[in-house]
Amino acid sequence: MSVTIKAVSKALPEFWRSTEDILPFLDIWLKDQDDRFIRKVKKIFEGAAVDKRYSIMSPEDVFSDLNFEERNNIYVREGIRLGAKCLETALEKANWQAQDLDYIITVSCTGIMIPSLDAYLINLLKLRQDIIRLPVTEMGCAAGVSGMIYAKNFLKANPGKRAAVIAVESPTATFQLNDFSMANIVSAAIFGDGAACVLLSSDSADTGPEILAEEMYHFYDAEEMMGFKLTNTGLQMVLDVAVPETIANHFPDIIHPFLKKNGLEINDIDHLIFHPGGKKIIQTVEELFGQLGKNINDTKEVLRLYGNMSSATVLYVLERMMDKKPMPGEKGLMLSFGPGFSAQRILLQW
């Protein structure tokens, strides 16, 4: 019994700005900093490989003194709207009805919502009253793939069922106005807001790329490298400069044993569907795989067009791959990284 991906969709907030348009806001934000520091921050934004980003708030609100409660209220309101929108779009793509879903997984780490997003979606779209819910939080950028792994395991154990994974993130809601650390600055330079939905099925009537295997990989003693610190002003980004190097050091253990378990080598993989964590991580991956004739052009393009949207971002890469309609038999490798520190992997076959 196989589990397939039926459809992928995305939803974007109404506000967006190019990086060039963001620079004047930096002048206002950094007005009390010295000129050398301001030039350094602008250089980080200009060199982040992000041409534009979307946001649930206007730039004026992002760079304002809105408090944690006010920002989180916007996160809740817009998260519900975006989650409903991308789920509805995915259902339309799949030609499914809302009542066809047996399992709903919602993932997010950039705000606090109790009840969780899935409860609102059940009511808004009138999903079945016996649908199984799983909200996934605190897994950061890895949670989109994590959600797919949880959905796959449920579907594998329950033939003929259908599941939705909805990722909704707003890193801009976590921006800290009075924090001039490199973590806050780099976060502001590379992150954007967005939502995505993946529909999966163990119904033999549904077609799409099959999930052949999935696996998680956990780094030891790396809990402090990435995440959020809960402060009185909100969620404060934690981002260690050693993240790209740490990923590079673990890459052989992350990729090759996983493929070997499935009788494959990297040369057997046709499509790399990698999470665009940031420019440095992309450069690290390109150095590792470029010599093997592999590219992550879709990953780079998603970063350029939208920035890093945490858990939703790799699903944007997956949607681009699905739209290209790979040939039957071609294989894809999904990969994302997140706090913990961890890597999540999925092996696909069209």
Side-chain angles (χ1 to χ4, degrees), residues 273-313:
I273 306 162
F274 286 5
H275 170 71
K279 181 180 177 180
K280 287 186 177 180
I281 293 177
I282 284 177
Q283 288 174 338
T284 298
V285 173
E286 282 194 310
E287 289 172 3
L288 291 167
F289 287 106
Q291 58 189 353
L292 298 173
K294 309 295 180 182
N295 72 75
I296 52 169
N297 292 340
D298 285 305
T299 290
K300 291 163 64 176
E301 190 67 358
V302 166
L303 183 69
R304 185 182 73 83
L305 293 173
Y306 309 105
N308 180 349
M309 298 165 286
S310 192
S311 66
T313 327

Side-chain angles (χ1 to χ4, degrees), residues 311-332:
S311 66
T313 327
V314 73
L315 306 183
Y316 279 55
V317 182
L318 177 61
E319 183 190 41
R320 290 175 67 89
M321 194 61 61
M322 296 273 286
D323 289 345
K324 291 180 178 181
K325 302 186 186 308
M327 297 295 291
E330 290 188 343
K331 294 178 174 63

Side-chain angles (χ1 to χ4, degrees), residues 214-234:
E214 74 291 329
E215 199 168 84
M216 297 185 181
Y217 177 95
H218 304 288
F219 298 54
Y220 287 132
D221 303 319
E223 307 98 301
E224 307 300 323
M225 295 195 70
M226 178 188 292
F228 284 115
K229 179 182 178 183
L230 183 57
T231 70
N232 289 333
T233 55

Side-chain angles (χ1 to χ4, degrees), residues 128 130 175 196 252 321:
R128 292 212 318 268
D130 65 347
F175 177 74
M321 194 61 61

Side-chain angles (χ1 to χ4, degrees), residues 31-276:
K31 59 181 174 61
D32 295 326
Q33 305 297 312
D34 64 66
D35 290 342
R36 184 179 178 182
F37 183 75
I38 294 172
R39 288 195 299 269
K40 180 179 180 180
V41 172
K42 286 186 175 181
K43 188 174 180 180
I44 290 172
F45 271 76
E46 291 169 337
V50 179
D51 285 358
K52 67 178 180 180
R53 73 215 72 214
Y54 291 77
S55 174
I56 61 171
M57 295 182 284
S58 68
E60 290 81 4
D61 283 339
V62 173
F63 289 96
S64 75
D65 60 355
L66 286 176
N67 61 36
F68 184 20
E69 179 181 356
E70 292 167 327
R71 289 176 185 265
N72 197 73
N73 285 341
I74 298 172
Y75 160 84
V76 171
R77 182 191 71 217
E78 294 303 305
I80 294 169
R81 186 181 69 82
L82 290 171
K85 183 179 178 181
C86 69
L87 177 53
E88 288 175 326
T89 301
L91 290 170
E92 289 173 5
K93 279 187 172 184
N95 198 26
W96 290 358
Q97 301 300 312
Q99 293 275 316
D100 292 333
L101 292 175
D102 302 283
Y103 193 32
I104 180 172
I105 299 174
T106 51
V107 304
S108 187
C109 70
T110 44
I112 298 170
M113 188 187 305
I114 303 173
S116 50
L117 175 60
D118 46 9
Y120 293 95
L121 299 181
I122 288 169
N123 284 282
L124 283 172
L125 277 71
K126 292 297 179 282
L127 306 181
R128 292 212 318 268
Q129 287 184 286
D130 65 347
I131 194 168
I132 297 172
R133 300 166 52 194
L134 176 63
V136 177
T137 61
E138 302 164 1
M139 292 191 75
C141 297
V145 174
S146 301
M148 291 178 65
I149 291 174
Y150 301 144
K152 189 262 186 178
N153 289 333
F154 168 85
L155 293 169
K156 190 77 173 177
N158 294 275
K161 301 295 185 180
R162 290 165 168 170
V165 177
I166 301 105
V168 178
E169 300 286 13
S170 176
T172 59
T174 71
F175 177 74
Q176 299 286 306
L177 184 67
N178 297 312
D179 178 5
F180 300 102
S181 68
M182 279 298 108
N184 191 48
I185 290 165
V186 171
S187 171
I190 66 174
F191 281 98
D193 300 350
C197 175
V198 184
L199 299 182
L200 304 97
S201 175
S202 57
D203 190 320
S204 59
D206 292 322
T207 58
E210 178 184 354
I211 297 180
L212 297 180
E214 74 291 329
E215 199 168 84
M216 297 185 181
Y217 177 95
H218 304 288
F219 298 54
Y220 287 132
D221 303 319
E223 307 98 301
E224 307 300 323
M225 295 195 70
M226 178 188 292
F228 284 115
K229 179 182 178 183
L230 183 57
T231 70
N232 289 333
T233 55
L235 296 169
Q236 184 180 45
M237 174 62 70
V238 175
L239 188 62
D240 196 299
V241 294
V243 165
E245 181 183 356
T246 303
I247 291 174
N249 291 338
H250 283 261
F251 235 97
D253 292 334
I254 292 168
I255 300 295
H256 302 304
F258 174 61
L259 294 178
K260 187 176 181 180
K261 286 180 184 178
N262 293 281
L264 300 171
E265 297 180 350
I266 190 63
N267 289 332
D268 299 312
I269 301 301
D270 303 289
H271 307 289
L272 301 179
I273 306 162
F274 286 5
H275 170 71

